[in-house]
Amino acid sequence: MAGYPPEEVVEQILHCLPPKAIVKCTLVSKSWMSLIKSSDFIHAHLRHTVRTSHRTGHHLRLLRSVDVEHNHRAFFSLHFESPDFCEYTQLETPFRFITNNEYCKGKTNPRIDVVATCNGLVCLADYLCLIWNPSIRKYVVLPRTTATQKKDLTRVMKSFGFGYDSRNRDYKVLRILSDGFREFEVYSLARGSWKRIGDVPKDFMPHYYSKNLEYRHVSVDNALHWLVLRRQKNKDNAIVCFDLEGETFTEMVVPDSLRRELCYISKYREWLALIRCKIIGQEPTSSGFFMWVMNDYGVAESWTMLFSVRLIGFAYEPLSLTTNGELVLKRDFGDEPVWVDLNKNYAKAFGTKGYKYYFLDCFVESIVLLGQCDAISY
């Protein structure tokens, strides 16, 4: 039509818009709706957003905190990645809109933990498991399976992993159920179903350093990674990897000097990282941290120590690594997170009195789930 820019120009303009504006644009016409909800457009929009974030240095972090003075109500918020940690926005969770689930019925604050974030999606899980995009207010509740229907989930140890299979443009959740007998299942958002995993490492027992007994894991190079303690192999540390494309397990070795040390697995930029922690109990108490990265993925000889830092005064544990490599720590009881700037050699506490902090990770606003047929708006 005369006066209208070419379709490719319109598409490039739409790539630059934030998620809320994109959702409104689906109402312009059927052709715009079809374009915006297509897999190619959603992928291109995400790619543009990530590139812009890296170019401008404006990165976001998703924070889960709990108000311990008011019924331990959980809050989710987005913050700018900086030592000041300014709030970007509060997020409304979909729990009070999930009325057809027995666990969420009548509850606005059910006990559901954050598994991980990925491309603007948040995986939340405990008795209920869902994939949530807060930027466009959509979520998918994962179905129960034969394994979960047969078990009393209040008595089962549950662990989860969440990541992106970039080769198939698919988001997957790994679930481990254990009540004496372990069952492994993987959920594919593209398939819309769970699948049993049979070939599993026999001694897959992660370190339980987290107060919430969570499996700490990170997603790097199309795989999920856990730091585990091999009870059958001299009680050494090792890394178990779950390949998201092939849905199979493999293993990696850790640096020799970390085989029997207290460590946390993490991610520094696009590298797999390990943070060794050393708590010195003498007065005053101090915490030492040593970060190693795997420069060449899968190459054991490429492990390199990047930095070491010591904080005096309290016992800390890692909460997160920033995009630029700053270390974010928290005290044992979850309060007073500390931002450690290694380049400027200083540490700064942030947070609100009366709150405890349990999860902090990178976040990018996206429109993933916009074209998902079983996604629910709230």
Side-chain angles (χ1 to χ4, degrees), residues 145-173:
T145 63
T146 302
T148 57
Q149 289 170 356
K150 290 180 178 180
K151 297 179 182 292
D152 179 0
L153 294 182
T154 62
R155 299 177 180 272
V156 174
M157 182 177 289
K158 298 167 292 296
S159 301
F160 298 86
F162 177 60
Y164 181 52
D165 174 3
S166 63
R167 295 183 182 93
N168 296 304
R169 295 187 184 178
D170 192 8
Y171 296 86
K172 296 182 179 180
V173 178

Side-chain angles (χ1 to χ4, degrees), residues 116-355:
T117 65
C118 182
N119 293 344
L121 298 183
V122 185
C123 181
L124 304 170
D126 197 315
Y127 306 114
L128 173 73
C129 187
L130 59 89
I131 297 173
W132 168 44
N133 186 331
S135 301
I136 58 174
R137 297 171 62 90
K138 280 182 174 288
Y139 65 92
V140 175
V141 178
L142 276 58
R144 296 190 67 175
T145 63
T146 302
T148 57
Q149 289 170 356
K150 290 180 178 180
K151 297 179 182 292
D152 179 0
L153 294 182
T154 62
R155 299 177 180 272
V156 174
M157 182 177 289
K158 298 167 292 296
S159 301
F160 298 86
F162 177 60
Y164 181 52
D165 174 3
S166 63
R167 295 183 182 93
N168 296 304
R169 295 187 184 178
D170 192 8
Y171 296 86
K172 296 182 179 180
V173 178
L174 179 71
R175 176 169 60 194
I176 306 166
L177 302 174
S178 178
D179 58 351
F181 176 76
R182 298 177 306 159
E183 295 186 66
F184 290 72
E185 301 173 306
V186 61
Y187 178 85
S188 160
L189 188 62
R191 290 194 303 257
S193 62
W194 292 93
K195 186 177 80 172
R196 291 282 298 275
I197 303 294
D199 189 12
V200 178
K202 294 181 179 179
D203 201 17
F204 188 4
M205 292 294 292
H207 288 309
Y208 289 115
Y209 295 141
S210 169
K211 295 296 184 295
N212 293 329
L213 300 181
E214 297 169 346
Y215 279 76
R216 294 175 178 268
H217 75 281
V218 295
S219 179
V220 176
D221 201 58
N222 259 26
L224 306 179
H225 304 77
W226 290 262
L227 182 66
V228 302
L229 181 64
R230 285 290 179 225
R231 301 181 184 275
Q232 298 177 3
K233 295 183 180 179
N234 302 319
K235 295 185 178 180
D236 285 350
N237 289 328
I239 296 174
V240 167
C241 318
F242 180 70
D243 177 58
L244 290 165
E245 180 187 14
E247 299 179 353
T248 56
F249 285 94
T250 56
E251 294 186 23
M252 287 183 181
V253 299
V254 303
D256 289 340
S257 60
L258 302 183
R259 287 185 182 276
R260 297 192 179 184
E261 299 293 339
L262 172 61
C263 297
Y264 294 84
I265 196 163
S266 189
K267 179 180 179 180
Y268 173 51
R269 295 180 179 170
E270 297 305 316
W271 296 324
L272 192 63
L274 290 173
I275 302 174
R276 178 195 168 198
C277 306
K278 186 176 182 180
I279 308 299
I280 303 172
Q282 301 174 354
E283 293 294 337
T285 300
S286 66
S287 303
F289 301 93
F290 309 82
M291 190 177 84
W292 293 67
V293 297
M294 180 178 267
N295 290 310
D296 295 322
Y297 183 78
V299 180
E301 294 77 17
S302 69
W303 281 109
T304 306
M305 192 177 79
L306 279 192
F307 69 76
S308 63
V309 63
R310 181 181 177 185
L311 273 71
I312 299 175
F314 298 99
Y316 290 95
E317 68 176 29
L319 182 60
S320 182
L321 276 171
T322 72
T323 306
N324 295 322
E326 293 92 354
L327 189 60
V328 183
L329 308 171
K330 68 173 181 177
R331 289 174 59 181
D332 282 346
F333 300 104
D335 55 356
E336 196 182 25
V338 175
W339 182 289
V340 182
D341 191 319
L342 301 169
N343 294 320
K344 298 181 180 178
N345 196 29
Y346 83 97
K348 180 178 181 180
F350 63 91
T352 304
K353 185 178 180 180
Y355 282 72

Side-chain angles (χ1 to χ4, degrees), residues 58-122:
H58 294 158
H59 303 286
L60 293 175
R61 313 288 289 182
L62 175 73
L63 177 69
R64 178 182 179 267
S65 56
V66 173
D67 185 353
V68 295
E69 296 180 356
H70 295 87
N71 299 320
H72 284 77
R73 182 173 177 83
F75 290 91
F76 292 85
S77 52
L78 293 178
H79 296 256
F80 290 108
E81 187 181 85
S82 71
D84 296 327
F85 213 66
C86 299
E87 184 176 294
Y88 174 65
T89 185
Q90 286 274 345
L91 302 175
E92 183 177 18
T93 64
F95 302 134
R96 70 188 183 95
F97 302 96
I98 307 176
T99 57
N100 60 344
N101 184 278
E102 59 181 332
Y103 181 65
C104 282
K105 187 174 291 186
K107 300 178 182 179
T108 58
N109 188 36
R111 183 184 175 276
I112 297 182
D113 295 320
V114 183
V115 176
T117 65
C118 182
N119 293 344
L121 298 183
V122 185

